[in-house]
Amino acid sequence: MPELSEITNNIEQTFKTKFNSSPDMFYSPGRINLIGEHTDYNNGLVLPAAIDKYIFLAIASREDDEIHIFSQDYQDSYATSLSAIQISNKLWPDYILGVIDQIQKLDKKLRGVNIVFGGNIPQGAGLSSSAAVECATAYAFNSLFNLGFNSLELAKISQKAENEFVGVKCGLMDQFASVFGKENKFIKLDCGSYEHQYIPFDTDQYSLILFDTQVKHSLASSAYNERRQQCEYGVQLIQKHYPEITSLRQATQAMLDEFIKPFDAITYKRCQYIIQEIKRVEDACNDLLESDFRQFGKRMFQTHEGLKNEYEVSCKELDFLVDFVKDYPEVLGARMMGGGFGGCTINLIENKAIDNISNSTAIAYEKAMGKAMKIYPISIVDGTKLLKDARNESK
Ligand code: GLA
């Protein structure tokens, strides 16, 4: 993996060569999620953090209304104009175009732009590289054209781009984490009220490490949207009796038992997982505040069981990785992370055992699954930022 400075230098250099001017540079990080999976679009609680894997975006405005984008990672370009934005047939430009489209829908006056972007967030690994591209774009436009959006608005614009332009009905967690990340802190976010609290990751004994199955499931986004619909259907069944219930956040076990269980077994399983998981996030945050990492880790295992059996978004590779590490006493917790059907597991492990366990797991995984897994050590970092301000430098 190249050094960060090498990546940013390459992006800046490409920009200068292609567009013959100096860009402003922005970056936005990927994210992990400690606990609280699939709860964001149910107005529930989540506990993400931004990590030291980034999208870097070099940008400068143009005099006309053209948009020229170059992807450093795909070595591919795309051009359109502000008045002709539509879905590309390549996907990678859509995360940028979707954000520009949302900003225009808010009646903001823009000019055309030149963009070069790239980074080191592995794609399809569940680390939200797409949210990072969206947030970097939203932040860059906000800065370049003085649009006056606050951080929450930038996260919401980015989420809406994903929902409406890209077509994945995701919640707010990824974009919120990318924008609001803070060094060495988890973000306890209430997705109903947007209230959030930073919880320190205060330990020199344990670390988080990701094991990447290297599985990128092609059905992930359609299955994701289907889960979301199932949750909404559960709410509709409850609403027939309690019209004031507008999300599973407000639902109780008794409501699920009375109004969903007799009619729809699958919807019942899905909803039951969600209300248990929302409660688990609350409890897990208390564990962290009491530095009870063992108890926190147990809840990570419980989340995995729920995602595997009730919510059914795991896959055999993810299950293998969690199963393999669970009997090591030095592994406090492990679970699949993110939307599911592939991507990474997140593991909380005693520092002294990390190398040994990572190596044994990699060997066992390759033997059992016939493919290599990847290992990502991570640090928790700040959210979206301006890296280099070419406009002020040249003044
Ligand atoms: C994806 C979505 C998020 C969230 C997670 C599951 O990452 O983008 O909004 O729903 O899945 O927790």
Side-chain angles (χ1 to χ4, degrees), residues 326-380:
K326 77 173 190 304
D327 293 329
Y328 284 101
E330 300 91 346
V331 175
L332 281 71
R335 63 175 198 83
M336 59 148 279
M337 189 183 75
F341 304 104
C344 296
T345 61
I346 178 167
N347 304 270
L348 180 63
I349 304 184
E350 280 184 40
N351 290 339
K352 63 175 172 12
I354 285 213
D355 287 347
N356 179 24
I357 291 174
S358 302
N359 291 337
S360 317
T361 310
I363 292 166
Y365 183 77
E366 184 149 8
K367 198 162 165 226
M369 297 290 141
K371 53 185 160 266
M373 97 183 186
K374 284 198 172 158
I375 300 168
Y376 309 132
I378 39 167
S379 308
I380 297 177

Side-chain angles (χ1 to χ4, degrees), residues 21-76:
S21 68
S22 275
D24 285 353
M25 301 275 295
F26 297 85
Y27 71 81
S28 205
R31 65 103 190 88
I32 51 169
N33 185 27
L34 274 296
I35 200 157
E37 219 63 270
H38 288 271
T39 46
D40 59 351
Y41 54 83
N42 289 297
N43 284 357
L45 303 170
V46 290
L47 191 65
I51 55 167
D52 57 339
K53 303 211 174 292
Y54 305 93
I55 290 294
F56 298 96
L57 186 128
I59 185 168
S61 61
R62 298 171 55 98
E63 294 304 320
D64 55 19
D65 79 342
E66 290 182 13
I67 299 169
H68 293 257
I69 314 174
F70 183 76
S71 161
Q72 183 84 359
D73 299 331
Y74 289 106
Q75 290 290 304
D76 190 16

Side-chain angles (χ1 to χ4, degrees), residues 72-83:
Q72 183 84 359
D73 299 331
Y74 289 106
Q75 290 290 304
D76 190 16
S77 43
Y78 185 82
T80 181
S81 73
L82 287 173
S83 52

Side-chain angles (χ1 to χ4, degrees), residues 164-194:
E164 294 181 5
F165 202 83
V166 181
V168 179
K169 306 288 175 201
C170 66
L172 187 62
M173 171 171 74
D174 305 347
Q175 291 81 5
F176 195 95
S178 196
V179 172
F180 283 84
K182 236 190 205 9
E183 196 179 344
N184 284 329
K185 304 263 198 297
F186 301 136
I187 312 166
K188 179 186 179 192
L189 168 66
D190 181 326
C191 298
S193 65
Y194 310 122

Side-chain angles (χ1 to χ4, degrees), residues 97-236:
L97 299 175
V99 169
I100 304 175
D101 183 51
Q102 284 304 322
I103 295 176
Q104 292 204 115
K105 286 191 171 133
L106 294 167
D107 277 341
K108 299 284 184 184
K109 276 245 48 79
L110 304 177
R111 288 206 313 269
V113 288
N114 295 324
I115 291 177
V116 176
F117 78 105
N120 66 348
I121 309 177
Q123 287 176 28
L127 303 182
S128 300
S129 57
S130 49
V133 175
E134 291 152 359
C135 293
T137 307
Y139 195 99
F141 270 73
N142 199 35
S143 161
L144 212 56
F145 299 108
N146 291 315
L147 302 178
F149 293 121
N150 64 31
S151 299
L152 180 60
E153 287 167 329
L154 292 178
K156 283 184 171 179
I157 286 169
S158 301
Q159 179 204 13
K160 235 175 161 196
E162 180 97 27
N163 290 169
E164 294 181 5
F165 202 83
V166 181
V168 179
K169 306 288 175 201
C170 66
L172 187 62
M173 171 171 74
D174 305 347
Q175 291 81 5
F176 195 95
S178 196
V179 172
F180 283 84
K182 236 190 205 9
E183 196 179 344
N184 284 329
K185 304 263 198 297
F186 301 136
I187 312 166
K188 179 186 179 192
L189 168 66
D190 181 326
C191 298
S193 65
Y194 310 122
E195 264 173 40
H196 61 284
Q197 178 193 349
Y198 290 103
I199 300 191
F201 184 40
D202 208 1
T203 168
D204 46 21
Q205 217 182 332
Y206 310 112
S207 294
L208 291 163
I209 187 154
L210 307 178
F211 295 157
D212 185 351
T213 59
Q214 295 281 295
V215 176
K216 302 175 192 351
H217 202 287
S218 58
L219 291 179
S221 60
S222 58
Y224 184 91
N225 290 349
E226 183 192 74
R227 292 298 178 285
R228 190 168 179 153
Q229 277 164 11
Q230 289 166 334
C231 293
E232 283 162 7
Y233 181 56
V235 172
Q236 281 165 23

Side-chain angles (χ1 to χ4, degrees), residues 234-252:
V235 172
Q236 281 165 23
L237 290 177
I238 297 172
Q239 269 177 339
K240 288 186 187 157
H241 308 272
Y242 289 96
E244 68 277 18
I245 301 289
T246 54
S247 73
L248 288 179
R249 174 68 181 277
Q250 302 152 293
T252 62

